[in-house]
Amino acid sequence: MIDLRSDTVTHPSDEMRAVMASAPVGDDVLGDDPTVILLEERVADLLGKEAAVYVPSGTMANQIALRVHTRSGDRVVMDADSHIRVHESGAPASLAGVTIVPVAGIHGIFTADQVVAAAPGPSPDFPPGLFDPTTLVTMENTHNEAGGTVWPLESMRSVSDGARDLGLAVHLDGARLWNATAASGIRLDRYADTADTVNVCFSKGLGAPVGSALAGPRDLIDRGRWFKKMYGGGFRQAGIIAAGALYALEHNRDRLVDDHANARRFAEAAADLDGVTVDLESVQTNMVFFDVDDASAFAGRLRSAGVDTLALGPTRIRAVFHLDVSDADTTTAIEILHGVATGR
Ligand SMILES: Cc1ncc(COP(=O)(O)O)c(C=O)c1O
């Protein structure tokens, strides 16, 4: 089976497993796991931030960020299709107690003007305390639901400057920031500079088995450690999995461009098929979203023929390319897609 459901389905390589098996460990809850400490320092350094905290998932990293930047009842501005809004199980309302103000981005990208419209400042016409305050803006790069699209650095800067003018904090959901950097050549720390806090994930395109990190100013990250513990994220001898993340950072970033090339090849082949619609403009990294008449039936036929994809809506299917999908696998997947689309 060629598994294109997500870039989270990768299996650790033998070398990664060997490094994990021999990793020095301590007790992460007591703060003395040397491999976790090394990973946190490495991530903070890569992102140009003072500190980072290793957590079990991207969802936890994002939710800790919401918590450290907001108070219960605050409003948070983000693209309507943000992972935080759509796929984090209602956590913003449940855990941070915030209201999300969704804005309609294009390919997941919104503007500073949209932030201003969504987060009006205090008005002399009303007494203080009448409106719930907006305190945070979040961006997502690459943007998952939009198809793995890359925010241009200038757009991020503009939103960030606009937000800061309004006194708002900025969080970047950079679960796949590695892919944005691979696609654009723009360094991680330059993207990270547009935000106060940044979430990055090791268990997606980088191919590590578990974990994400939240990076930012030391005082916020220290406060974030409290929420990590509160949310059940204290994971003791986590050095074993942190070692996989360190290995992935070292060995699996440069090869992300191969996944992007495979996604592009698959998308262009799909676009040539009758009955399959692809927005090629949105195919900028390792994901391909395409539409067919009946996504569930089409994905079922692909699966029977040896390609697993995700039907995400009545007509929408997602295929994601990653380090367990070779160039040859991509060629095979294209042949199978062709066969299913043409009924041959
Ligand atoms: C953009 C984005 N942010 C956050 C997450 C959450 O990561 P996790 O699945 O590790 O909780 C994902 C997961 O796919 C994602 O795509």
Side-chain angles (χ1 to χ4, degrees), residues 161-220:
D161 290 348
R164 283 167 176 164
D165 284 349
L166 292 170
L168 313 184
V170 180
H171 171 66
L172 170 59
D173 179 359
R176 294 182 182 80
L177 196 62
W178 329 109
N179 294 83
T181 286
S184 68
I186 293 171
R187 284 168 51 132
L188 297 162
D189 56 353
R190 295 186 69 207
Y191 284 125
D193 190 43
T194 64
D196 299 295
T197 51
V198 186
N199 158 40
V200 285
C201 294
F202 311 110
S203 60
K204 304 195 164 65
L206 292 192
V210 187
S212 298
L214 181 70
R218 188 170 301 283
D219 58 337
L220 286 185

Side-chain angles (χ1 to χ4, degrees), residues 57-59 62 83 88 140 144 173 175-176 199 201 204 212:
S57 69
T59 299
N62 283 332
H83 193 278
E88 299 193 359
E140 183 176 316
N144 182 342
D173 179 359
R176 294 182 182 80
N199 158 40
C201 294
K204 304 195 164 65
S212 298

Side-chain angles (χ1 to χ4, degrees), residues 131-180:
F131 294 112
D132 36 333
T134 306
T135 46
L136 176 68
V137 174
T138 76
M139 296 181 268
E140 183 176 316
N141 194 9
T142 64
H143 195 291
N144 182 342
E145 277 288 314
T149 47
V150 181
W151 272 74
L153 182 60
E154 280 318 306
S155 308
M156 293 184 79
R157 280 214 184 106
S158 161
V159 165
S160 171
D161 290 348
R164 283 167 176 164
D165 284 349
L166 292 170
L168 313 184
V170 180
H171 171 66
L172 170 59
D173 179 359
R176 294 182 182 80
L177 196 62
W178 329 109
N179 294 83

